[in-house]
Amino acid sequence: AMSDYYAGQNSRPSIRTLRCFRSSSAPLPPASIARLEELYAAPLLETYGLTETASTLCSNRLPPGKRKPGSVGQAISADLKIVDPEGRELPAGQDGEVILKGPGVISEYVGTQPADAFIDGYLRTGDIGRVDRDGYLYIVGRLKEVIKRGGHSVFPLEIDNALLDHPAVAEAVTFSIPHPTLGEDVLAAIVPKPGSV
């Protein structure tokens, strides 16, 4: 919204003294990060946290520390694992469910305890992600959002990000529709940028 506002006004923000700014709650496409950093002349730190983790759990680093666009950074004072559906830890680079344990992560819910909320003391997040060899976490979707197309798992967020990298695309959303033999098929809708069509 900020990027679109200044593009529509053909202007720039008057503030030029930001040390950094932060994004959380929803993933930002790498193309949006690049536009915002250029607009504000400051690094954008993508972060990750849940209500159950008392806010930020992962963060990219301020320069000169390493930032990886598209990643929500490295875990801060918590143990983070990526696991398969049976709860086995997966190696770097493989997609699986993000589970967490640490001093800022809840260890139980008050009242009715969901039967599948924890694995060996780790909170199940329902987020699908992977870590790279440096321990940077990439969120690729939610368990409930995965599209199963002919036995292949498709993560809508990854397709959205690829579409949003195109200079003519302003907005994109990927979703599934029923398919008679594949189970589900993948569709995407886009909104072109003004003047691009």
Side-chain angles (χ1 to χ4, degrees):
M2 292 185 298
S3 179
D4 290 345
Y5 171 80
Y6 286 108
Q9 299 293 318
N10 198 23
S11 66
R12 299 182 66 81
S14 59
I15 187 168
R16 303 301 283 177
T17 56
L18 290 177
R19 180 171 181 223
C20 68
F21 57 117
R22 175 181 159 216
S23 170
S24 62
S25 300
L28 266 180
S32 295
I33 294 170
R35 283 194 305 271
L36 287 165
E37 288 185 335
E38 190 278 326
L39 188 64
Y40 284 96
L44 186 147
L45 301 181
E46 283 194 280
T47 63
Y48 174 69
L50 309 165
T51 301
E52 294 92 341
T53 64
S55 193
T56 302
L57 188 74
C58 293
S59 181
N60 275 284
R61 307 296 184 226
L62 280 171
K66 188 179 280 189
R67 288 181 307 132
K68 295 190 178 187
S71 167
V72 294
Q74 296 172 311
I76 302 167
S77 69
D79 188 16
L80 179 149
K81 292 182 182 181
I82 306 296
V83 298
D84 68 13
E86 287 74 40
R88 294 180 297 245
E89 188 170 4
L90 295 169
Q94 289 194 22
D95 294 340
E97 185 177 5
V98 179
I99 62 172
L100 310 164
K101 180 166 61 172
V105 181
I106 68 166
S107 56
E108 66 179 303
Y109 287 94
V110 175
T112 304
Q113 183 83 326
D116 60 351
F118 296 90
I119 298 173
D120 297 327
Y122 283 79
L123 174 70
R124 296 184 66 192
T125 66
D127 291 324
I128 301 293
R130 65 178 165 269
V131 293
D132 66 13
R133 294 190 187 282
D134 297 326
Y136 281 71
L137 175 63
Y138 295 79
I139 302 294
V140 298
R142 299 266 312 146
L143 281 174
K144 295 177 182 174
E145 294 173 350
V146 175
I147 300 170
K148 295 287 189 176
R149 183 184 186 275
H152 296 283
S153 294
V154 178
F155 300 105
L157 180 60
E158 289 185 318
I159 296 171
D160 293 349
N161 286 341
L163 292 169
L164 290 167
D165 273 342
H166 194 281
V169 176
E171 295 180 45
V173 63
T174 305
F175 53 93
S176 69
I177 61 169
H179 189 279
T181 57
L182 297 173
E184 293 180 289
D185 206 354
V186 181
L187 288 183
I190 64 162
V191 175
K193 289 185 179 172
S196 64
V197 178

